[in-house]
Amino acid sequence: MGRDVIVSIMGNHMVNDENNPVEILSKGKLYTRNGKTHIRYDETDAENNIINCAIIYDDASVHIRRSDSLGINCMIFEKDRNCVTSYQTPFGKMIAGFSTRRLDITRDKNGESIMIDYMLDINYTYVSDCNVEIRISYI
């Protein structure tokens, strides 16, 4: 069935020395399957369309999956590894690369926290240095 949680995602993308912050707050469900933690939650886009999201992780990797009317997009972060994926946007497909520099996962009695620092490239061209903090608070 899963445990009720609050998912807070705070990210920052540095482009040309300019910060582009992102923040998401949503209710979700946390459960464990096959040694991995799964979190499911929904987001809404600018047009109020529902985006089904999942974060699946263990101590070595974090997969973030978003499913909307365009299809399913997945971002994969593994410490000291480069992960490349096809990413669907309203403007067409592009190749997104994630070079993870830092991946820290901590747990305590109140919840869990995931910190990721990575370099983003699009179509094999550097775009920005990014960081994201995912906080999962137990309800």
Side-chain angles (χ1 to χ4, degrees):
M1 182 87 184
R3 180 178 195 161
D4 290 331
V5 294
I6 299 293
V7 180
S8 170
I9 302 173
M10 295 168 283
N12 192 34
H13 300 264
M14 289 289 294
V15 179
N16 297 328
D17 293 328
E18 189 175 312
N19 287 329
N20 295 300
V22 174
E23 187 169 352
I24 296 163
L25 187 64
S26 184
K27 279 185 156 183
K29 290 279 189 190
L30 177 146
Y31 60 94
T32 302
R33 183 172 51 190
N34 298 327
K36 294 186 181 274
T37 302
H38 295 246
I39 299 171
R40 299 206 181 276
Y41 64 97
D42 292 331
E43 294 178 17
T44 54
D45 64 13
E47 291 83 34
N48 287 324
N49 297 312
I50 301 293
I51 303 168
N52 301 112
C53 302
I55 302 170
I56 303 164
Y57 62 95
D58 58 20
D59 290 336
S61 67
V62 176
H63 297 229
I64 300 173
R65 191 177 75 220
R66 301 180 63 190
S67 177
D68 60 17
S69 61
L70 296 174
I72 298 173
N73 288 315
C74 189
M75 296 178 282
I76 302 169
F77 302 96
E78 295 177 349
K79 192 172 184 177
D80 299 323
R81 300 226 23 220
N82 297 327
C83 295
V84 178
T85 186
S86 177
Y87 207 86
Q88 183 67 40
T89 74
F91 309 106
K93 284 188 179 181
M94 60 183 173
I95 302 299
F98 307 96
S99 179
T100 307
R101 296 181 177 132
R102 174 183 172 206
L103 176 61
D104 294 326
I105 300 170
T106 56
R107 296 171 179 88
D108 64 28
K109 65 179 181 173
N110 298 316
E112 306 184 19
S113 179
I114 302 168
M115 299 288 294
I116 306 169
D117 291 334
Y118 64 98
M119 183 183 73
L120 172 66
D121 67 69
I122 302 295
N123 296 328
Y124 305 104
T125 301
Y126 169 82
V127 173
S128 69
D129 291 315
C130 309
N131 61 60
V132 64
E133 179 179 4
I134 303 168
R135 291 187 182 174
I136 299 100
S137 301
Y138 305 142
I139 297 178

